[in-house]
Amino acid sequence: MPALDPSAESEIIEMALSDHVSFDAIRDLYGLGAEQVQTLMRTRLKAGSYRAWRKRVRRFSDRRAVYK
């Protein structure tokens, strides 16, 4: 994963937590793929917050053809 400044990390986390921003949009802006975003989220969020985020992303992706 490329070295990111703290403001970029904060923006990526905010985008990833949003239900309206896809992983493709994050990749286009910052060059990070879905796996790299998940790694960033895992290292920067509390364990429970990360699990809740992954559960929400998984639940929505099961219901919609295109989500994150």
Side-chain angles (χ1 to χ4, degrees):
M1 178 167 29
L4 299 167
D5 61 71
S7 63
E9 283 185 4
S10 294
E11 190 170 336
I12 292 168
I13 290 170
E14 185 177 332
M15 292 170 74
L17 289 172
S18 169
D19 291 336
H20 304 290
V21 180
S22 68
F23 286 128
D24 290 335
I26 296 171
R27 185 184 61 237
D28 292 343
L29 289 172
Y30 292 99
L32 298 178
E35 295 81 20
Q36 292 171 313
V37 172
Q38 290 174 14
T39 300
L40 175 68
M41 299 292 279
R42 187 180 307 116
T43 59
R44 297 299 187 257
L45 296 179
K46 293 179 181 178
S49 298
Y50 174 76
R51 283 192 302 269
W53 173 72
R54 285 300 304 149
K55 184 178 178 180
R56 190 176 81 240
V57 169
R58 228 181 352 264
R59 186 176 58 234
F60 278 110
S61 65
D62 288 344
R63 284 192 237 159
R64 299 179 185 171
V66 177
Y67 179 78
K68 290 278 184 191

